[in-house]
Amino acid sequence: MAETKIAYIGAGSGAFARQVCTDILAVDGLDSGEFALCDIDADRLQLAQQLVETLVARSGKDWKVSSSTERNDLLDGADFVVNSIEVAGLRNVRHDYDIPLRYGVDQCIGDTIGPGGIFKALRTGPAWLDICADIEARAPKAIVLNYTNPMSILTLAALRATNLQVVGLCHSVQGTSWQLSQHLGAPYQDLVWECAGINHNAWFTRLEFQGEDMYPRLRERARDKEVYESDPVRFEVMLHLGYFVTESSGHFSEYVPYFRKRPDLLKKYIRSGYRGESGFYANNWPHWRESQERDVRDMIAGRKEIPSGRSAEYASTIVQAVVLDKARVIYGNVRNAGLIDNLPHDGCVEVATLVDRRGLQPCAFGPLPEQVAALNRAHMAVHELMVQALLERNRAKAKHALMLDPLTAAVCSLAEIDAMFDEMWAAQSADLEAFA
């Protein structure tokens, strides 16, 4: 059997790249191969190579580590390509938050839809599509694992632009299912659940333990103030719409028009950190990045222990399933080819996906409950316009996408959205040259 080659684009991403490589090295039977690391930042790439070489040495396995700032030096023969790029985020994170806030659009994270997510897509999409074109030319049979947000927009753009096998990967399904087991006091391995929707907006439509529906129990738990306060937006959504959603209160609060459009609602539902804090990402991400870089340097120097546990991220599960032909089910973001009946065909949906030596095989789900499908469709309209904007380099379609964003439309008039978009474009124009 030929050795497995994993190309990693955006390998300077610190903790995340370390975890993906740690996970792969932890798989029994994946004893040799190559990590081909790429990042346009030569200093961060050097740190990534040193750290991955340390991981390989610790594992005792026969994995080669190569690196280059030029991805085309690395893509030939790749079996898998992992993507976790960040394009001009550091210098634009304040623009993504501060400008919309002046128009009344209050964001916590801002990386999925909304003003922040749309401009993140505008900055990232052209570079991502160039990467995909190079993968298709040099490694057309590779399975592409996209971890970069906005997940649905970027994954769908790649699926439309290429014939590659692309899957968008997140950890919200794994993380939320584990959280639900804790809320319910049920052993995780014994909790039976089904989940489907779109990234950051997938829904647990079945939740059972020992043959009993757990939703009545979860609604009862939500009446406990301490439990409710741990995730107020998600519990509020479940109490009114019937189902628990996969993304945190902070993320989800900015995806819908209910929680962030008035000061009284912000006070009632929004809490610190990932529970919805205003500007949480903009205010903290630069410091997180600096901290992660210090941690990497300390790990390489032996001043800090390198975590060794395998995580719940799906990358290693996919590599294991394909290379060793050990069938596994993951939750992936894929093209909606008859998978969810009442969501737009050819959009990007998140569903259970069987993986084995044949690759990715998404599983049909059927219809979602209509009230939550309707929320998903609102997002998918934004996704569709943004994918068209990226493929056509069409600024007007991106502006129309922002006009359809649920939170922005709840707060602003069309004229205000028009002005906001133009102000954000002007502030970020140096990083939007692909649209010139």
Side-chain angles (χ1 to χ4, degrees), residues 367-391:
L368 281 167
E370 183 56 28
Q371 68 273 28
V372 296
L375 293 180
N376 284 176
R377 287 196 296 268
H379 281 236
M380 295 177 79
V382 176
H383 301 165
E384 180 62 34
L385 276 167
M386 283 306 301
V387 169
Q388 291 180 24
L390 293 174
L391 296 179

PDB file of all heavy atoms in Angstrom, residues 367-391:
ATOM      1  N   PRO A 367     -36.976  15.256   5.314  1.00  0.00           N
ATOM      2  CA  PRO A 367     -37.305  16.652   5.621  1.00  0.00           C
ATOM      3  C   PRO A 367     -36.983  17.019   7.062  1.00  0.00           C
ATOM      4  O   PRO A 367     -37.125  16.206   7.975  1.00  0.00           O
ATOM      5  CB  PRO A 367     -38.816  16.714   5.379  1.00  0.00           C
ATOM      6  CG  PRO A 367     -39.285  15.322   5.718  1.00  0.00           C
ATOM      7  CD  PRO A 367     -38.184  14.382   5.315  1.00  0.00           C
ATOM      8  N   LEU A 368     -36.553  18.253   7.260  1.00  0.00           N
ATOM      9  CA  LEU A 368     -36.447  18.820   8.596  1.00  0.00           C
ATOM     10  C   LEU A 368     -37.805  19.343   9.043  1.00  0.00           C
ATOM     11  O   LEU A 368     -38.656  19.660   8.201  1.00  0.00           O
ATOM     12  CB  LEU A 368     -35.465  19.993   8.586  1.00  0.00           C
ATOM     13  CG  LEU A 368     -33.975  19.690   8.600  1.00  0.00           C
ATOM     14  CD1 LEU A 368     -33.189  20.951   8.270  1.00  0.00           C
ATOM     15  CD2 LEU A 368     -33.538  19.128   9.957  1.00  0.00           C
ATOM     16  N   PRO A 369     -38.037  19.473  10.342  1.00  0.00           N
ATOM     17  CA  PRO A 369     -39.231  20.192  10.790  1.00  0.00           C
ATOM     18  C   PRO A 369     -39.266  21.569  10.123  1.00  0.00           C
ATOM     19  O   PRO A 369     -38.243  22.261  10.052  1.00  0.00           O
ATOM     20  CB  PRO A 369     -39.034  20.287  12.304  1.00  0.00           C
ATOM     21  CG  PRO A 369     -38.172  19.108  12.643  1.00  0.00           C
ATOM     22  CD  PRO A 369     -37.238  18.959  11.481  1.00  0.00           C
ATOM     23  N   GLU A 370     -40.420  21.960   9.632  1.00  0.00           N
ATOM     24  CA  GLU A 370     -40.493  23.128   8.758  1.00  0.00           C
ATOM     25  C   GLU A 370     -40.016  24.417   9.418  1.00  0.00           C
ATOM     26  O   GLU A 370     -39.401  25.261   8.770  1.00  0.00           O
ATOM     27  CB  GLU A 370     -41.921  23.300   8.231  1.00  0.00           C
ATOM     28  CG  GLU A 370     -42.091  24.439   7.243  1.00  0.00           C
ATOM     29  CD  GLU A 370     -41.169  24.342   6.030  1.00  0.00           C
ATOM     30  OE1 GLU A 370     -40.783  23.204   5.651  1.00  0.00           O
ATOM     31  OE2 GLU A 370     -40.820  25.394   5.471  1.00  0.00           O
ATOM     32  N   GLN A 371     -40.275  24.585  10.714  1.00  0.00           N
ATOM     33  CA  GLN A 371     -39.895  25.843  11.350  1.00  0.00           C
ATOM     34  C   GLN A 371     -38.377  26.034  11.384  1.00  0.00           C
ATOM     35  O   GLN A 371     -37.887  27.168  11.259  1.00  0.00           O
ATOM     36  CB  GLN A 371     -40.493  25.951  12.765  1.00  0.00           C
ATOM     37  CG  GLN A 371     -39.937  24.983  13.808  1.00  0.00           C
ATOM     38  CD  GLN A 371     -40.649  23.652  13.829  1.00  0.00           C
ATOM     39  OE1 GLN A 371     -41.186  23.213  12.821  1.00  0.00           O
ATOM     40  NE2 GLN A 371     -40.665  23.005  14.990  1.00  0.00           N
ATOM     41  N   VAL A 372     -37.630  24.946  11.530  1.00  0.00           N
ATOM     42  CA  VAL A 372     -36.170  25.099  11.540  1.00  0.00           C
ATOM     43  C   VAL A 372     -35.614  25.062  10.118  1.00  0.00           C
ATOM     44  O   VAL A 372     -34.593  25.701   9.825  1.00  0.00           O
ATOM     45  CB  VAL A 372     -35.501  24.046  12.449  1.00  0.00           C
ATOM     46  CG1 VAL A 372     -35.937  24.261  13.891  1.00  0.00           C
ATOM     47  CG2 VAL A 372     -35.777  22.624  12.008  1.00  0.00           C
ATOM     48  N   ALA A 373     -36.276  24.336   9.224  1.00  0.00           N
ATOM     49  CA  ALA A 373     -35.866  24.374   7.815  1.00  0.00           C
ATOM     50  C   ALA A 373     -35.966  25.794   7.274  1.00  0.00           C
ATOM     51  O   ALA A 373     -35.123  26.238   6.484  1.00  0.00           O
ATOM     52  CB  ALA A 373     -36.736  23.423   6.986  1.00  0.00           C
ATOM     53  N   ALA A 374     -36.999  26.532   7.696  1.00  0.00           N
ATOM     54  CA  ALA A 374     -37.171  27.900   7.226  1.00  0.00           C
ATOM     55  C   ALA A 374     -36.008  28.786   7.659  1.00  0.00           C
ATOM     56  O   ALA A 374     -35.540  29.638   6.889  1.00  0.00           O
ATOM     57  CB  ALA A 374     -38.487  28.470   7.736  1.00  0.00           C
ATOM     58  N   LEU A 375     -35.525  28.603   8.887  1.00  0.00           N
ATOM     59  CA  LEU A 375     -34.349  29.355   9.323  1.00  0.00           C
ATOM     60  C   LEU A 375     -33.138  29.001   8.476  1.00  0.00           C
ATOM     61  O   LEU A 375     -32.344  29.871   8.105  1.00  0.00           O
ATOM     62  CB  LEU A 375     -34.058  29.074  10.798  1.00  0.00           C
ATOM     63  CG  LEU A 375     -35.081  29.579  11.819  1.00  0.00           C
ATOM     64  CD1 LEU A 375     -34.637  29.209  13.227  1.00  0.00           C
ATOM     65  CD2 LEU A 375     -35.282  31.084  11.707  1.00  0.00           C
ATOM     66  N   ASN A 376     -32.979  27.721   8.166  1.00  0.00           N
ATOM     67  CA  ASN A 376     -31.858  27.297   7.325  1.00  0.00           C
ATOM     68  C   ASN A 376     -31.951  27.889   5.923  1.00  0.00           C
ATOM     69  O   ASN A 376     -30.950  28.306   5.339  1.00  0.00           O
ATOM     70  CB  ASN A 376     -31.806  25.773   7.228  1.00  0.00           C
ATOM     71  CG  ASN A 376     -31.268  25.097   8.477  1.00  0.00           C
ATOM     72  OD1 ASN A 376     -31.243  23.873   8.556  1.00  0.00           O
ATOM     73  ND2 ASN A 376     -30.833  25.869   9.459  1.00  0.00           N
ATOM     74  N   ARG A 377     -33.159  27.926   5.371  1.00  0.00           N
ATOM     75  CA  ARG A 377     -33.315  28.453   4.012  1.00  0.00           C
ATOM     76  C   ARG A 377     -32.932  29.925   3.933  1.00  0.00           C
ATOM     77  O   ARG A 377     -32.381  30.377   2.924  1.00  0.00           O
ATOM     78  CB  ARG A 377     -34.748  28.236   3.513  1.00  0.00           C
ATOM     79  CG  ARG A 377     -35.061  26.782   3.178  1.00  0.00           C
ATOM     80  CD  ARG A 377     -36.330  26.643   2.341  1.00  0.00           C
ATOM     81  NE  ARG A 377     -37.522  27.081   3.058  1.00  0.00           N
ATOM     82  CZ  ARG A 377     -38.305  26.279   3.779  1.00  0.00           C
ATOM     83  NH1 ARG A 377     -38.011  24.984   3.892  1.00  0.00           N
ATOM     84  NH2 ARG A 377     -39.390  26.752   4.374  1.00  0.00           N
ATOM     85  N   ALA A 378     -33.202  30.684   5.003  1.00  0.00           N
ATOM     86  CA  ALA A 378     -32.805  32.093   5.015  1.00  0.00           C
ATOM     87  C   ALA A 378     -31.288  32.224   4.884  1.00  0.00           C
ATOM     88  O   ALA A 378     -30.790  33.099   4.160  1.00  0.00           O
ATOM     89  CB  ALA A 378     -33.296  32.764   6.295  1.00  0.00           C
ATOM     90  N   HIS A 379     -30.570  31.364   5.568  1.00  0.00           N
ATOM     91  CA  HIS A 379     -29.109  31.371   5.452  1.00  0.00           C
ATOM     92  C   HIS A 379     -28.657  30.932   4.073  1.00  0.00           C
ATOM     93  O   HIS A 379     -27.714  31.495   3.502  1.00  0.00           O
ATOM     94  CB  HIS A 379     -28.500  30.439   6.503  1.00  0.00           C
ATOM     95  CG  HIS A 379     -28.426  31.034   7.861  1.00  0.00           C
ATOM     96  ND1 HIS A 379     -27.264  31.140   8.571  1.00  0.00           N
ATOM     97  CD2 HIS A 379     -29.386  31.585   8.652  1.00  0.00           C
ATOM     98  CE1 HIS A 379     -27.501  31.718   9.734  1.00  0.00           C
ATOM     99  NE2 HIS A 379     -28.791  31.977   9.807  1.00  0.00           N
ATOM    100  N   MET A 380     -29.310  29.912   3.548  1.00  0.00           N
ATOM    101  CA  MET A 380     -28.871  29.359   2.264  1.00  0.00           C
ATOM    102  C   MET A 380     -29.080  30.341   1.121  1.00  0.00           C
ATOM    103  O   MET A 380     -28.370  30.287   0.110  1.00  0.00           O
ATOM    104  CB  MET A 380     -29.561  28.019   2.015  1.00  0.00           C
ATOM    105  CG  MET A 380     -29.133  26.957   3.031  1.00  0.00           C
ATOM    106  SD  MET A 380     -29.977  25.371   2.856  1.00  0.00           S
ATOM    107  CE  MET A 380     -29.062  24.662   1.476  1.00  0.00           C
ATOM    108  N   ALA A 381     -30.023  31.273   1.274  1.00  0.00           N
ATOM    109  CA  ALA A 381     -30.163  32.333   0.279  1.00  0.00           C
ATOM    110  C   ALA A 381     -28.938  33.240   0.303  1.00  0.00           C
ATOM    111  O   ALA A 381     -28.431  33.658  -0.754  1.00  0.00           O
ATOM    112  CB  ALA A 381     -31.433  33.138   0.556  1.00  0.00           C
ATOM    113  N   VAL A 382     -28.447  33.539   1.497  1.00  0.00           N
ATOM    114  CA  VAL A 382     -27.208  34.319   1.622  1.00  0.00           C
ATOM    115  C   VAL A 382     -26.038  33.542   1.036  1.00  0.00           C
ATOM    116  O   VAL A 382     -25.208  34.094   0.290  1.00  0.00           O
ATOM    117  CB  VAL A 382     -26.949  34.682   3.103  1.00  0.00           C
ATOM    118  CG1 VAL A 382     -25.612  35.414   3.246  1.00  0.00           C
ATOM    119  CG2 VAL A 382     -28.084  35.532   3.656  1.00  0.00           C
ATOM    120  N   HIS A 383     -25.941  32.247   1.363  1.00  0.00           N
ATOM    121  CA  HIS A 383     -24.868  31.413   0.824  1.00  0.00           C
ATOM    122  C   HIS A 383     -24.870  31.445  -0.709  1.00  0.00           C
ATOM    123  O   HIS A 383     -23.818  31.579  -1.338  1.00  0.00           O
ATOM    124  CB  HIS A 383     -25.027  29.956   1.271  1.00  0.00           C
ATOM    125  CG  HIS A 383     -25.016  29.758   2.746  1.00  0.00           C
ATOM    126  ND1 HIS A 383     -25.442  28.570   3.331  1.00  0.00           N
ATOM    127  CD2 HIS A 383     -24.639  30.564   3.772  1.00  0.00           C
ATOM    128  CE1 HIS A 383     -25.321  28.670   4.646  1.00  0.00           C
ATOM    129  NE2 HIS A 383     -24.843  29.862   4.932  1.00  0.00           N
ATOM    130  N   GLU A 384     -26.051  31.284  -1.298  1.00  0.00           N
ATOM    131  CA  GLU A 384     -26.151  31.208  -2.753  1.00  0.00           C
ATOM    132  C   GLU A 384     -25.640  32.494  -3.399  1.00  0.00           C
ATOM    133  O   GLU A 384     -24.865  32.457  -4.365  1.00  0.00           O
ATOM    134  CB  GLU A 384     -27.595  30.934  -3.165  1.00  0.00           C
ATOM    135  CG  GLU A 384     -27.825  30.845  -4.668  1.00  0.00           C
ATOM    136  CD  GLU A 384     -27.059  29.704  -5.318  1.00  0.00           C
ATOM    137  OE1 GLU A 384     -26.894  28.647  -4.666  1.00  0.00           O
ATOM    138  OE2 GLU A 384     -26.622  29.878  -6.478  1.00  0.00           O
ATOM    139  N   LEU A 385     -26.088  33.636  -2.892  1.00  0.00           N
ATOM    140  CA  LEU A 385     -25.626  34.903  -3.460  1.00  0.00           C
ATOM    141  C   LEU A 385     -24.122  35.085  -3.259  1.00  0.00           C
ATOM    142  O   LEU A 385     -23.424  35.595  -4.154  1.00  0.00           O
ATOM    143  CB  LEU A 385     -26.382  36.068  -2.826  1.00  0.00           C
ATOM    144  CG  LEU A 385     -27.736  36.384  -3.451  1.00  0.00           C
ATOM    145  CD1 LEU A 385     -28.530  37.328  -2.557  1.00  0.00           C
ATOM    146  CD2 LEU A 385     -27.566  36.982  -4.849  1.00  0.00           C
ATOM    147  N   MET A 386     -23.602  34.670  -2.121  1.00  0.00           N
ATOM    148  CA  MET A 386     -22.169  34.820  -1.877  1.00  0.00           C
ATOM    149  C   MET A 386     -21.339  33.908  -2.773  1.00  0.00           C
ATOM    150  O   MET A 386     -20.271  34.303  -3.253  1.00  0.00           O
ATOM    151  CB  MET A 386     -21.849  34.546  -0.408  1.00  0.00           C
ATOM    152  CG  MET A 386     -22.210  35.704   0.512  1.00  0.00           C
ATOM    153  SD  MET A 386     -21.473  37.276  -0.019  1.00  0.00           S
ATOM    154  CE  MET A 386     -19.726  36.858   0.006  1.00  0.00           C
ATOM    155  N   VAL A 387     -21.810  32.697  -3.018  1.00  0.00           N
ATOM    156  CA  VAL A 387     -21.083  31.816  -3.938  1.00  0.00           C
ATOM    157  C   VAL A 387     -21.088  32.413  -5.337  1.00  0.00           C
ATOM    158  O   VAL A 387     -20.054  32.424  -6.027  1.00  0.00           O
ATOM    159  CB  VAL A 387     -21.689  30.395  -3.917  1.00  0.00           C
ATOM    160  CG1 VAL A 387     -21.124  29.550  -5.050  1.00  0.00           C
ATOM    161  CG2 VAL A 387     -21.409  29.733  -2.572  1.00  0.00           C
ATOM    162  N   GLN A 388     -22.233  32.931  -5.762  1.00  0.00           N
ATOM    163  CA  GLN A 388     -22.267  33.598  -7.069  1.00  0.00           C
ATOM    164  C   GLN A 388     -21.329  34.803  -7.085  1.00  0.00           C
ATOM    165  O   GLN A 388     -20.633  35.048  -8.082  1.00  0.00           O
ATOM    166  CB  GLN A 388     -23.694  34.023  -7.392  1.00  0.00           C
ATOM    167  CG  GLN A 388     -24.642  32.865  -7.664  1.00  0.00           C
ATOM    168  CD  GLN A 388     -26.049  33.319  -7.976  1.00  0.00           C
ATOM    169  OE1 GLN A 388     -26.280  34.438  -8.419  1.00  0.00           O
ATOM    170  NE2 GLN A 388     -27.023  32.443  -7.734  1.00  0.00           N
ATOM    171  N   ALA A 389     -21.297  35.566  -6.001  1.00  0.00           N
ATOM    172  CA  ALA A 389     -20.404  36.723  -5.925  1.00  0.00           C
ATOM    173  C   ALA A 389     -18.946  36.305  -6.068  1.00  0.00           C
ATOM    174  O   ALA A 389     -18.164  36.975  -6.764  1.00  0.00           O
ATOM    175  CB  ALA A 389     -20.611  37.458  -4.602  1.00  0.00           C
ATOM    176  N   LEU A 390     -18.573  35.202  -5.433  1.00  0.00           N
ATOM    177  CA  LEU A 390     -17.187  34.741  -5.510  1.00  0.00           C
ATOM    178  C   LEU A 390     -16.845  34.195  -6.893  1.00  0.00           C
ATOM    179  O   LEU A 390     -15.782  34.500  -7.444  1.00  0.00           O
ATOM    180  CB  LEU A 390     -16.938  33.665  -4.444  1.00  0.00           C
ATOM    181  CG  LEU A 390     -16.985  34.137  -2.993  1.00  0.00           C
ATOM    182  CD1 LEU A 390     -16.874  32.955  -2.047  1.00  0.00           C
ATOM    183  CD2 LEU A 390     -15.877  35.152  -2.706  1.00  0.00           C
ATOM    184  N   LEU A 391     -17.723  33.387  -7.438  1.00  0.00           N
ATOM    185  CA  LEU A 391     -17.426  32.774  -8.737  1.00  0.00           C
ATOM    186  C   LEU A 391     -17.436  33.794  -9.871  1.00  0.00           C
ATOM    187  O   LEU A 391     -16.676  33.680 -10.836  1.00  0.00           O
ATOM    188  CB  LEU A 391     -18.428  31.654  -9.023  1.00  0.00           C
ATOM    189  CG  LEU A 391     -18.388  30.458  -8.065  1.00  0.00           C
ATOM    190  CD1 LEU A 391     -19.443  29.438  -8.452  1.00  0.00           C
ATOM    191  CD2 LEU A 391     -17.008  29.809  -8.048  1.00  0.00           C
TER     192      LEU A 391
END
